[in-house]
PDB file of all heavy atoms in Angstrom:
ATOM      1  N   GLU X1307      71.111  57.146 121.659  1.00 86.00           N
ATOM      2  CA  GLU X1307      70.099  56.851 122.669  1.00 86.00           C
ATOM      3  C   GLU X1307      68.779  56.517 122.011  1.00 86.00           C
ATOM      4  O   GLU X1307      68.124  55.534 122.360  1.00 86.00           O
ATOM      5  CB  GLU X1307      69.908  58.067 123.580  1.00 86.00           C
ATOM      6  CG  GLU X1307      70.879  58.124 124.731  1.00 86.00           C
ATOM      7  CD  GLU X1307      70.572  59.292 125.653  1.00 86.00           C
ATOM      8  OE1 GLU X1307      69.595  60.031 125.400  1.00 86.00           O
ATOM      9  OE2 GLU X1307      71.301  59.460 126.624  1.00 86.00           O
ATOM     10  N   ARG X1308      68.398  57.374 121.101  1.00 87.00           N
ATOM     11  CA  ARG X1308      67.115  57.175 120.422  1.00 87.00           C
ATOM     12  C   ARG X1308      67.117  55.871 119.638  1.00 87.00           C
ATOM     13  O   ARG X1308      66.123  55.153 119.599  1.00 87.00           O
ATOM     14  CB  ARG X1308      66.834  58.346 119.467  1.00 87.00           C
ATOM     15  CG  ARG X1308      66.545  59.643 120.169  1.00 87.00           C
ATOM     16  CD  ARG X1308      65.140  59.674 120.677  1.00 87.00           C
ATOM     17  NE  ARG X1308      64.882  60.990 121.276  1.00 87.00           N
ATOM     18  CZ  ARG X1308      64.340  61.173 122.431  1.00 87.00           C
ATOM     19  NH1 ARG X1308      63.995  60.130 123.154  1.00 87.00           N
ATOM     20  NH2 ARG X1308      64.145  62.380 122.891  1.00 87.00           N
ATOM     21  N   THR X1309      68.243  55.602 118.985  1.00 86.00           N
ATOM     22  CA  THR X1309      68.336  54.368 118.220  1.00 86.00           C
ATOM     23  C   THR X1309      68.163  53.178 119.140  1.00 86.00           C
ATOM     24  O   THR X1309      67.424  52.226 118.836  1.00 86.00           O
ATOM     25  CB  THR X1309      69.694  54.275 117.499  1.00 86.00           C
ATOM     26  OG1 THR X1309      69.861  55.444 116.688  1.00 86.00           O
ATOM     27  CG2 THR X1309      69.773  53.037 116.633  1.00 86.00           C
ATOM     28  N   SER X1310      68.847  53.284 120.293  1.00 84.00           N
ATOM     29  CA  SER X1310      68.723  52.206 121.266  1.00 84.00           C
ATOM     30  C   SER X1310      67.285  52.093 121.738  1.00 84.00           C
ATOM     31  O   SER X1310      66.733  50.998 121.854  1.00 84.00           O
ATOM     32  CB  SER X1310      69.665  52.494 122.444  1.00 84.00           C
ATOM     33  OG  SER X1310      69.493  51.537 123.442  1.00 84.00           O
ATOM     34  N   GLN X1311      66.684  53.276 122.013  1.00 81.00           N
ATOM     35  CA  GLN X1311      65.301  53.255 122.464  1.00 81.00           C
ATOM     36  C   GLN X1311      64.389  52.683 121.385  1.00 81.00           C
ATOM     37  O   GLN X1311      63.467  51.906 121.667  1.00 81.00           O
ATOM     38  CB  GLN X1311      64.842  54.674 122.809  1.00 81.00           C
ATOM     39  CG  GLN X1311      65.438  55.186 124.119  1.00 81.00           C
ATOM     40  CD  GLN X1311      65.089  56.634 124.366  1.00 81.00           C
ATOM     41  OE1 GLN X1311      64.375  57.261 123.580  1.00 81.00           O
ATOM     42  NE2 GLN X1311      65.606  57.190 125.445  1.00 81.00           N
ATOM     43  N   LEU X1312      64.668  53.121 120.143  1.00 83.00           N
ATOM     44  CA  LEU X1312      63.847  52.615 119.037  1.00 83.00           C
ATOM     45  C   LEU X1312      64.007  51.117 118.869  1.00 83.00           C
ATOM     46  O   LEU X1312      63.032  50.389 118.600  1.00 83.00           O
ATOM     47  CB  LEU X1312      64.233  53.332 117.744  1.00 83.00           C
ATOM     48  CG  LEU X1312      63.668  54.746 117.594  1.00 83.00           C
ATOM     49  CD1 LEU X1312      64.283  55.443 116.396  1.00 83.00           C
ATOM     50  CD2 LEU X1312      62.152  54.681 117.425  1.00 83.00           C
ATOM     51  N   GLN X1313      65.243  50.684 119.048  1.00 80.00           N
ATOM     52  CA  GLN X1313      65.469  49.229 118.931  1.00 80.00           C
ATOM     53  C   GLN X1313      64.717  48.489 120.024  1.00 80.00           C
ATOM     54  O   GLN X1313      64.086  47.450 119.783  1.00 80.00           O
ATOM     55  CB  GLN X1313      66.972  48.929 119.028  1.00 80.00           C
ATOM     56  CG  GLN X1313      67.704  49.274 117.751  1.00 80.00           C
ATOM     57  CD  GLN X1313      69.205  49.155 117.897  1.00 80.00           C
ATOM     58  OE1 GLN X1313      69.743  49.079 119.007  1.00 80.00           O
ATOM     59  NE2 GLN X1313      69.899  49.124 116.776  1.00 80.00           N
ATOM     60  N   ASP X1314      64.802  49.048 121.257  1.00 75.00           N
ATOM     61  CA  ASP X1314      64.048  48.417 122.359  1.00 75.00           C
ATOM     62  C   ASP X1314      62.566  48.417 122.050  1.00 75.00           C
ATOM     63  O   ASP X1314      61.862  47.415 122.246  1.00 75.00           O
ATOM     64  CB  ASP X1314      64.283  49.195 123.658  1.00 75.00           C
ATOM     65  CG  ASP X1314      65.678  48.946 124.214  1.00 75.00           C
ATOM     66  OD1 ASP X1314      66.311  47.976 123.766  1.00 75.00           O
ATOM     67  OD2 ASP X1314      66.123  49.729 125.081  1.00 75.00           O
ATOM     68  N   LEU X1315      62.135  49.591 121.578  1.00 76.00           N
ATOM     69  CA  LEU X1315      60.708  49.720 121.273  1.00 76.00           C
ATOM     70  C   LEU X1315      60.304  48.749 120.173  1.00 76.00           C
ATOM     71  O   LEU X1315      59.229  48.134 120.221  1.00 76.00           O
ATOM     72  CB  LEU X1315      60.426  51.169 120.838  1.00 76.00           C
ATOM     73  CG  LEU X1315      58.950  51.555 120.783  1.00 76.00           C
ATOM     74  CD1 LEU X1315      58.326  51.449 122.157  1.00 76.00           C
ATOM     75  CD2 LEU X1315      58.806  52.969 120.255  1.00 76.00           C
ATOM     76  N   GLN X1316      61.182  48.654 119.212  1.00 79.00           N
ATOM     77  CA  GLN X1316      60.909  47.725 118.105  1.00 79.00           C
ATOM     78  C   GLN X1316      60.772  46.294 118.639  1.00 79.00           C
ATOM     79  O   GLN X1316      59.854  45.557 118.251  1.00 79.00           O
ATOM     80  CB  GLN X1316      62.047  47.803 117.087  1.00 79.00           C
ATOM     81  CG  GLN X1316      61.774  46.988 115.819  1.00 79.00           C
ATOM     82  CD  GLN X1316      62.962  47.034 114.879  1.00 79.00           C
ATOM     83  OE1 GLN X1316      64.109  47.135 115.298  1.00 79.00           O
ATOM     84  NE2 GLN X1316      62.675  46.927 113.597  1.00 79.00           N
ATOM     85  N   GLN X1317      61.705  45.950 119.536  1.00 74.00           N
ATOM     86  CA  GLN X1317      61.633  44.612 120.146  1.00 74.00           C
ATOM     87  C   GLN X1317      60.328  44.442 120.890  1.00 74.00           C
ATOM     88  O   GLN X1317      59.653  43.404 120.802  1.00 74.00           O
ATOM     89  CB  GLN X1317      62.812  44.405 121.099  1.00 74.00           C
ATOM     90  CG  GLN X1317      64.167  44.289 120.420  1.00 74.00           C
ATOM     91  CD  GLN X1317      64.202  43.149 119.453  1.00 74.00           C
ATOM     92  OE1 GLN X1317      63.685  42.051 119.717  1.00 74.00           O
ATOM     93  NE2 GLN X1317      64.776  43.360 118.285  1.00 74.00           N
ATOM     94  N   LYS X1318      59.998  45.499 121.626  1.00 69.00           N
ATOM     95  CA  LYS X1318      58.760  45.416 122.397  1.00 69.00           C
ATOM     96  C   LYS X1318      57.556  45.335 121.492  1.00 69.00           C
ATOM     97  O   LYS X1318      56.600  44.604 121.766  1.00 69.00           O
ATOM     98  CB  LYS X1318      58.637  46.645 123.305  1.00 69.00           C
ATOM     99  CG  LYS X1318      59.579  46.583 124.503  1.00 69.00           C
ATOM    100  CD  LYS X1318      59.445  47.817 125.373  1.00 69.00           C
ATOM    101  CE  LYS X1318      60.479  47.713 126.486  1.00 69.00           C
ATOM    102  NZ  LYS X1318      60.523  48.920 127.294  1.00 69.00           N
ATOM    103  N   LEU X1319      57.602  46.138 120.412  1.00 76.00           N
ATOM    104  CA  LEU X1319      56.490  46.101 119.469  1.00 76.00           C
ATOM    105  C   LEU X1319      56.366  44.716 118.840  1.00 76.00           C
ATOM    106  O   LEU X1319      55.259  44.199 118.682  1.00 76.00           O
ATOM    107  CB  LEU X1319      56.689  47.150 118.373  1.00 76.00           C
ATOM    108  CG  LEU X1319      56.348  48.591 118.781  1.00 76.00           C
ATOM    109  CD1 LEU X1319      56.749  49.572 117.703  1.00 76.00           C
ATOM    110  CD2 LEU X1319      54.852  48.725 119.070  1.00 76.00           C
ATOM    111  N   ILE X1320      57.527  44.176 118.509  1.00 75.00           N
ATOM    112  CA  ILE X1320      57.508  42.822 117.926  1.00 75.00           C
ATOM    113  C   ILE X1320      56.932  41.842 118.955  1.00 75.00           C
ATOM    114  O   ILE X1320      56.073  41.010 118.650  1.00 75.00           O
ATOM    115  CB  ILE X1320      58.938  42.393 117.518  1.00 75.00           C
ATOM    116  CG1 ILE X1320      59.413  43.254 116.332  1.00 75.00           C
ATOM    117  CG2 ILE X1320      58.976  40.912 117.179  1.00 75.00           C
ATOM    118  CD1 ILE X1320      60.861  43.079 115.988  1.00 75.00           C
ATOM    119  N   GLN X1321      57.437  42.016 120.186  1.00 67.00           N
ATOM    120  CA  GLN X1321      56.957  41.129 121.260  1.00 67.00           C
ATOM    121  C   GLN X1321      55.459  41.305 121.447  1.00 67.00           C
ATOM    122  O   GLN X1321      54.716  40.338 121.571  1.00 67.00           O
ATOM    123  CB  GLN X1321      57.709  41.476 122.540  1.00 67.00           C
ATOM    124  CG  GLN X1321      57.453  40.560 123.715  1.00 67.00           C
ATOM    125  CD  GLN X1321      58.131  39.211 123.523  1.00 67.00           C
ATOM    126  OE1 GLN X1321      58.941  39.006 122.637  1.00 67.00           O
ATOM    127  NE2 GLN X1321      57.744  38.262 124.346  1.00 67.00           N
ATOM    128  N   TYR X1517      56.131  38.361 131.472  1.00 92.00           N
ATOM    129  CA  TYR X1517      56.535  39.534 130.664  1.00 92.00           C
ATOM    130  C   TYR X1517      55.374  40.490 130.467  1.00 92.00           C
ATOM    131  O   TYR X1517      55.493  41.706 130.637  1.00 92.00           O
ATOM    132  CB  TYR X1517      57.083  39.053 129.316  1.00 92.00           C
ATOM    133  CG  TYR X1517      57.595  40.159 128.442  1.00 92.00           C
ATOM    134  CD1 TYR X1517      58.936  40.552 128.505  1.00 92.00           C
ATOM    135  CD2 TYR X1517      56.735  40.816 127.539  1.00 92.00           C
ATOM    136  CE1 TYR X1517      59.400  41.575 127.703  1.00 92.00           C
ATOM    137  CE2 TYR X1517      57.204  41.829 126.751  1.00 92.00           C
ATOM    138  CZ  TYR X1517      58.515  42.202 126.821  1.00 92.00           C
ATOM    139  OH  TYR X1517      58.992  43.223 126.026  1.00 92.00           O
ATOM    140  N   GLU X1521      55.049  44.252 131.938  1.00 90.00           N
ATOM    141  CA  GLU X1521      54.851  45.352 130.980  1.00 90.00           C
ATOM    142  C   GLU X1521      53.606  46.156 131.317  1.00 90.00           C
ATOM    143  O   GLU X1521      53.597  47.380 131.246  1.00 90.00           O
ATOM    144  CB  GLU X1521      54.740  44.806 129.557  1.00 90.00           C
ATOM    145  CG  GLU X1521      56.080  44.336 128.997  1.00 90.00           C
ATOM    146  CD  GLU X1521      57.048  45.459 128.739  1.00 90.00           C
ATOM    147  OE1 GLU X1521      56.697  46.447 128.063  1.00 90.00           O
ATOM    148  OE2 GLU X1521      58.193  45.372 129.255  1.00 90.00           O
TER     149      GLU X1521
END
Side-chain angles (χ1 to χ4, degrees):
Chain X
E1307 274 184 1
R1308 291 281 184 228
T1309 304
S1310 175
Q1311 286 174 2
L1312 282 171
Q1313 284 172 345
D1314 287 344
L1315 193 62
Q1316 187 183 31
Q1317 291 301 319
K1318 286 179 184 174
L1319 282 172
I1320 292 171
Q1321 186 73 11
Y1517 183 91
E1521 286 291 308

